[in-house]
Amino acid sequence: MSADPAADADPAADRAAAAGGGAAGVRLEPWVLALLRCPLTGEPLTAVEVDGEPFLATAAGVRYPVVDGVPVLLVDEALDVPEDLRARAGEGR
């Protein structure tokens, strides 16, 4: 550790924390994250990590994977979808 705290800073970690709500694997600009919504519920999404893997999630716990920094907001790729929402999503096909 150096005497200068700025020299020890990790810019990538700082950007990840600022841009992804603290989840290191999700690197989205805050304005982009603010625009994204769950395609099932319309809820805002929050960056989270589960077992070291990045996801965007709703308050209800529906999760969407982030692959190579790109959110996959497809209903078929959603995880932890409650049965009532899954049934409603199937009706639209």
Side-chain angles (χ1 to χ4, degrees):
M1 233 173 137
S2 68
D4 180 11
D8 295 327
D10 180 358
D14 292 344
R15 278 194 308 275
V26 181
R27 292 192 168 98
L28 296 172
E29 293 291 329
W31 67 269
V32 173
L33 189 58
L35 292 174
L36 296 177
R37 295 289 183 261
C38 171
L40 282 171
T41 66
E43 290 179 81
L45 297 163
T46 303
V48 299
E49 273 192 24
V50 178
D51 297 329
E53 296 294 321
F55 293 92
L56 293 183
T58 67
V62 177
R63 292 183 292 136
Y64 296 91
V66 177
V67 179
D68 294 329
V70 178
V72 181
L73 300 178
L74 301 172
V75 172
D76 290 340
E77 298 293 323
L79 303 170
D80 298 331
V81 179
E83 280 304 313
D84 61 324
L85 286 178
R86 192 169 296 281
R88 194 175 334 151
E91 292 171 3
R93 294 184 189 170

